[in-house]
Amino acid sequence: MNDENLIHNASKAAGEPLGDVTDSSELSELTNAVAVLKSSTLEHDPRRIRELEEQTADQARIVHLGHFAAAAVVFFCIGLVVLFKVGFTPPENPLPIAGENKPTPETTVPANKQDPPQQVYERPAWITQQATIVANTKIKEVVPSPGGIGMGGGAGGGSTGSAGAAGSRYAFTVFKPAQAPPGMKLKTKTMLRGKATDTGFDLFRQEFEGNGRVLLVLQAAESPESTAALSSVGLPGNAFSFVRDGTVVLLVSNSLATFELETLADTMVELR
């Protein structure tokens, strides 16, 4: 665009009548105005345009980075809150496991309700009687009476039976000491039915005696009832019990100490 066209356009834009470009005074003023317009208008510069585009792109990247940083801060704060709640919140009461005897709100036991008394096992009286007789037997140098201990106690006595028959006729293994204790010898061995002793199970009874020293051996097939009945706990005198090959064995003596009965138990062999 030349100066003349620029003057025409400027005059038209300003709403002024087109001046006479031949007039030197008007021409001088218009020339000055054109110079001012040119000085205030930047020429087309590709490098400047690229710089502006790069600045715009940089500003856009800065804006995106700012959004990303803000989102990261938000998620970080949320994570801190979750960790705080998990670390300091007390755990809730777990649900009761099936089979546990825990009262629920609907089945809470009243405060004034007492638990039923526990049943205490009572040893058969016949076994306690036999142990008491052994414990009370005096040690003295006398010839033992033919009846042996327990003759006055109903089924306490018994006839001497065959060892082989006793070991083969009944459903549990019976044992005997490999060697009789010093000064004693086998006096009786008898298989007693449960009805005869009111114990509810069959018993094999052996009695060793000599000079007032007594060793009583009671045996039964292993079961909860026989294990409890032939336990040495709470019996008078010196007693020791053990289980071997499905048989419960009780040793009671008035002269052998408990540790001697334990040693004797290790030497017992199967009766055949």
Side-chain angles (χ1 to χ4, degrees), residues 20-104:
D20 186 2
V21 296
T22 59
D23 188 351
S24 60
S25 61
E26 292 184 4
L27 180 61
S28 176
E29 293 178 1
L30 290 173
T31 301
N32 292 332
V34 170
V36 173
L37 289 173
K38 284 184 176 182
S39 64
S40 62
T41 303
L42 294 175
E43 296 182 359
H44 178 71
D45 187 356
R47 186 177 63 182
R48 177 64 178 169
I49 292 175
R50 285 196 300 272
E51 291 178 356
L52 292 175
E53 291 176 349
E54 291 177 358
Q55 291 178 0
T56 303
D58 291 340
Q59 291 177 355
R61 283 194 294 270
I62 292 173
V63 171
H64 287 303
L65 288 175
H67 291 166
F68 177 78
V73 171
V74 171
F75 283 111
F76 178 74
C77 294
I78 293 174
L80 288 179
V81 172
V82 172
L83 288 176
F84 180 82
K85 293 184 67 177
V86 171
F88 293 94
T89 301
E92 296 181 357
N93 292 330
L95 294 175
I97 300 175
E100 287 189 351
N101 187 18
K102 292 184 177 180
T104 60

Side-chain angles (χ1 to χ4, degrees), residues 105-159:
E106 295 78 12
T107 59
T108 303
V109 180
N112 58 354
K113 184 177 180 180
Q114 297 180 354
D115 294 333
Q118 295 182 353
Q119 294 182 354
V120 179
Y121 174 78
E122 294 184 4
R123 194 192 310 268
W126 183 87
I127 295 176
T128 304
Q129 181 191 48
Q130 294 291 297
T132 302
I133 294 174
V134 171
N136 293 336
T137 301
K138 303 295 184 181
I139 301 174
K140 54 186 178 180
E141 299 295 332
V142 296
V143 177
S145 61
I149 67 170
M151 290 299 293
S159 60

Side-chain angles (χ1 to χ4, degrees), residues 200-260:
F201 50 85
D202 293 346
L203 277 164
F204 185 72
R205 180 183 183 277
Q206 293 171 287
E207 178 188 341
F208 294 83
E209 186 177 297
N211 297 328
R213 295 174 174 85
V214 182
L215 170 66
L216 177 66
V217 183
L218 298 178
Q219 304 177 54
E222 182 183 8
S223 68
E225 293 78 12
S226 64
T227 302
L230 297 181
S231 171
S232 60
V233 178
L235 282 178
N238 301 328
F240 178 75
S241 63
F242 63 94
V243 178
R244 182 183 300 170
D245 297 338
T247 301
V248 186
V249 183
L250 173 64
L251 306 176
V252 185
S253 177
N254 68 333
S255 58
L256 298 176
T258 302
F259 75 91
E260 293 178 296

